Amino acid sequence: MAEEIGRSPNAPIASPASLLSLRGLTRRFGGLTAVDGIDLDLAKGDLVSIIGPNGAGKTTLFNLVTGLDRPDGGEVRLDGQVITGFSPERLAGNGIARTFQLGRVFGNLSVMENVLIGAHTRLRAVKPATPLIGPLLELGLALLRPAAVKAEEEQLRDEVRGILGRFGERLLPRIDQPAYSLSYANRRRLEIARALALRPRLLLLDEPTAGMNPTETTEMQALVAELKAEGLTILLIEHKLDMVMRLSDRVIVMDEGKKIAEGTGEDVRNDARVIEAYLGHGLSQPAADARETAA
Amino acid sequence: MSSWLDYTINGLILGNVYALVAVGLALIFGVSRLINFAQGSIYLVGAYIGWVAVVGLRTPLFVTIVLVAAISALVGLIIERFGLRPLQNSVRIAPLLATIGISFVLDQIVMLTFSPNPRALPSQLPDIRFQIGTGTIGPLDILIACIGITSALLLFVFLRYSKLGWAVRATAQDRDAAMQMGVDVNRVNQAVFGIAAALGGLSGLLVGMYYNQIDTAMSLHATLKGVVAEVVGGAGNVPGAVVGSLLLGLVESYGVAVFGTSYRNLFAFLLLIVVLVFRPNGLFASAKQAPPEPLTGTFIAPSRPVHIPRWALLIAFAAFALLPLLPVSSYVLQTLINAWLFAMLALSLTLVAGTIGQVSLGHAALLAIGAYTSALLSLDFSVPVSISIICGGLMSAALGTLLISPSFRLRGHYVSIATLAIGEIISLVILNWETVTRGPIGVSGIPPLSLFGYEFISAASIYWFSFAVMVLLALLQVRLLGSHIGRSFRAIRDDDVAARAYGLSLNRYKALAFIFGGFAAGVSGGIAAHLYSYINHETFNTQQSILALTIVILGGLGNAAGAIVGSVALVGLPEVFRIAAEYRILIYGIVLLLLVRFRPQGLLGTI
């Protein structure tokens, strides 16, 4: 098959059931190979976690999958279709949603508006797919607002209230406040709410509990477990190993751009290469745990 | 007729002069990721200090050079200390606006001190030419080359062998790491601004001597040329800036040889746009660089807009609508007509600069497109004025968006520099495309405003017409802001990376913003053309772009009501207080600086 040219010869063939499959994905920055020939399969409904020391290439891998960065080699498939090098806006349209490690909410938009942006790819009535004059029609419809456009907007707003309701009393009371006024933890929650509004087929979470205290972390863990139970396919980057062990179907360990281990939490925990990777970075496994949990 | 060798020498000499400006810009960009729009103003200051020294004090050449370098460096230090250092921790738009404001204040101070009339700046060197092959070279050419090479050597030694030079290079490479290692970033900034200003001032002196003429309009073009050279060489790349300057000098010199002087600046600006679009990292950047760290932190100041109750808006509307019925002088009405025209421009700019975050400095060009379209349609094709004005708006929306579209892929400061250049290109095309635009003569005898055969002659009728159009455009804009498009614009402004990750196409929405904003600006220009009855390529200039920007910042970025309030305040109040026209631009510049420093969210707040 034409698509298979350029694939490393001994890479496993993508299993038909996998929603996301990466083959030999590589990204170099100058002399540094940030992501080095990563293979990964994610079946529908699975939750796979990626762990590894800082600088292992986890976020770069996310950027490659979501189109914010282009790979130097390898292939990304979503549901069997090659999506390597697609623009982020096109990938969002294909149902990939992500959160950002540093929390990138739209500061001057209200909580409601932030989540509505998440539903942008689902706008139909106000965004006709007509080629060429589509943008002008969109401008006209936004100004005139016929009944169908109003109904669509109302329905999305209702849905946003529903999504925000999943976070208990954290976000709903602040629905009209600008996002810059939210606490750090609430911004992380808002990012997830925005991602859910896209109704993703694949959700990538980049350290959703960073900077959260133990109570907040437990809450977040319960929410991610809930999403998994609903059948959402999730790729998770997380440093809190306790949460990783509880939630993941499989764990992938990265170090210096390479996948050094893959398996269940238990397998990975006892893998000699994993322990060495952490020790090699000057930290024993328990010490690393303690540090990440304290962070 | 001069030979090709002459044009080459001329190009290299020009390149040398541009290099003095560009190297300063590159140094500043390197340490603070800032395009210093005031660099051209320092060049202007240098030229006038030189004039005072040569003509007034009759100093010998060497003393003149030292004097210009020293005083220019002092000006640079003052700009750094009082203009930029207080903004170190503010949003990214603040230093950009501050250097624009500083540039206008400096230009105006020079203009008020020395009058805008050109002056001669003799070179104090013997007027002889040496024959070299088929070309000739004069002592001034040699002097410029010597100063260029000496400055480059001094700079090289400074950056390579002095401790402060190391600190400069370290800061340019990684500011945070440098600070952690104990580098005093304030001292680095000071050093860089001082050096950049000394070189910029020298450049002004040499150019003045080269053409034996200086005038106050040279500042803007110096900034643009310097930025072109710097961007061609790769932003922040000091040797690249030198090569870029020489290249620019040669391109201009050969271009003038082939096409004539009136096209001189066109080459520079086209080169800029081409490089920005195809090689945004400059000609010498390696193709694959590590991508810049994701930009976090917002571009504009976070704020909550001031809520204006509906009844207050209605009262204000009624008061202004009924004003002509009261016994007010036609002078008041004329002032307010002017304010309404500026309000339309400000509505347009607040949408593109405030709502979607593309700080356009060439916005007056949209006025010009609308004005020329409407004037020429009504004159040459007898189109009724009311329709020709709408056509002007549509033309501005279509053509303006098309011309500005190369800047869509740029960010922050580059958008400003690109739009400034595009504005200049439009003005140069109007000047040179004589068969259509009538070139430098301008368009005269433009028919007055009329609607359905009724001509608006009285001040009251013109007032009502412009007020009604402005209110209509404002209401449309408020409606747009309340739609999903308004939300999308603001999301792109706040974080374009996250916006793309959620499916927002930057090109699509930037184009829509310029289409909508271009229409408002084009209508404003169209009305102005029929009001003035005469327009030329200088009727709509950078000063109007800057005034519009000040209005937008005063009112609050993206705030439609703020744009109107700002227009009445900045166009109306100077009239009320009878401030002489020549002081106004100075005041606008100072207002801009004070706002950026003390109330970045403007009067009514960012939306």
Side-chain angles (χ1 to χ4, degrees), chain A residues 98 104 108 138 143 145, chain B residues 295 479 494 502 508-509:
Chain A
R98 75 172 285 179
R104 309 187 75 144
N108 285 285
E138 182 182 348
L143 289 172
R145 288 185 217 161
Chain B
L295 295 162
R479 196 162 168 86
D494 278 8
Y502 283 93
R508 182 188 185 104
Y509 289 104

Side-chain angles (χ1 to χ4, degrees), chain B residues 3 135 567 582:
Chain B
S3 70
S567 300
E582 57 263 39

